[in-house]
Amino acid sequence: MELQAYLDRIGFTGRPALDLATLARIQRGHLEHIPYENLDVQLGRPVTIEPRDAFAKMVTGGRGGWCYEMNGLFGWALERIGFRVMRMTGAVLRAQRGDTAIGNHLALTVDLDEPYLVDVGLGDGPSEPIPLREGSYRQGWRTVRLERLDDGWWRFHNHELAFASSFDFRRQPADWDLLARQCRWLQTDPDSRFVQNLVCLRHQPDGVTALVGRVLKTVDAEGSRDHMLETPDAHAEALAAWFGIRLPEAAGLWPQIARRHEELFGPS
């Protein structure tokens, strides 16, 4: 695992420094060059929480990943540069699902002049480091917010058009056993939304592009716009053009993608 290979993958040039500007550049570079995607889950391939596995897949293999892989690799790279990173047990949509959500997300903070929340694993989450202070933060075309909860919990509130509206975390070291159990559940249980739906997201300079099943979606300052993909070839072309994913075996997913769309929305 070589740090320079990761920096090349995310388009980072120059020598990284231990400052907020570098941290922000690396976060943005990761988000714009490495897509969030769950194709391995859809293909029934095991996914781990090990950064070494994420490196092989996303740096060497040119793929993307989901939160455990994205933030796992990101945290590894930041530590190699010299940043002080805390890995934490996160909980996406704990506001709606309660404590059963704890462990469905790996979250990170970095200590500089103060702690900063950094995240590349929510798909369409924050695009810049956020000081660990209550308040609203403008990030390009959208506004996000941090809220302090009871019992040491914090809540990140995503922008209003986001796929995941929030995640919670406590600033304490991650429970790796819980994260591993949740990682296994999310990729194997029929009730998991990651088992049910193909999802890819990638940050663009002025928005986010998403592929959810057979719907290609653009979200930016103008709102949200959908484009229906009608054929497996169109789906493969979207994966390659928008997310840089060229995976021939993904073509075999089209029947289940089309079937899932019909279950949710009826015949097209």
Side-chain angles (χ1 to χ4, degrees), residues 86-89 170-176:
M86 178 176 283
R87 297 162 178 83
M88 306 173 297
T89 305
R170 282 190 289 192
R171 190 164 152 75
Q172 59 187 39
D175 181 339
W176 291 107

Side-chain angles (χ1 to χ4, degrees), residues 85-203:
V85 180
M86 178 176 283
R87 297 162 178 83
M88 306 173 297
T89 305
V92 175
L93 299 180
R94 179 170 172 258
Q96 292 81 13
R97 299 175 180 174
D99 287 351
T100 59
I102 298 174
N104 68 8
H105 189 62
L106 171 63
L108 306 174
T109 55
V110 167
D111 287 330
L112 290 171
D113 56 317
E114 60 182 315
Y116 287 83
L117 176 69
V118 294
D119 197 286
V120 296
L122 197 63
D124 59 349
S127 58
E128 303 168 12
I130 303 173
L132 199 58
R133 290 184 261 118
E134 283 196 300
S136 296
Y137 298 90
R138 188 71 180 176
Q139 298 194 335
W141 54 279
R142 70 263 180 89
T143 298
V144 299
R145 182 164 62 91
L146 273 184
E147 177 188 6
R148 189 191 295 269
L149 306 176
D150 295 332
D151 300 325
W153 285 94
W154 289 84
R155 178 163 294 157
F156 167 79
H157 293 270
N158 214 349
H159 61 97
E160 61 182 8
L161 296 176
F163 287 87
S165 59
S166 69
F167 72 83
D168 296 0
F169 62 95
R170 282 190 289 192
R171 190 164 152 75
Q172 59 187 39
D175 181 339
W176 291 107
D177 289 339
L178 177 57
L179 289 170
R181 289 197 303 272
Q182 286 280 45
C183 179
R184 287 192 295 271
W185 183 90
L186 288 168
Q187 62 187 297
T188 57
D189 195 282
D191 290 333
S192 166
R193 61 176 181 158
F194 295 102
V195 173
Q196 296 170 348
N197 304 297
L198 180 145
V199 179
C200 299
L201 299 103
R202 188 171 183 175
H203 284 241

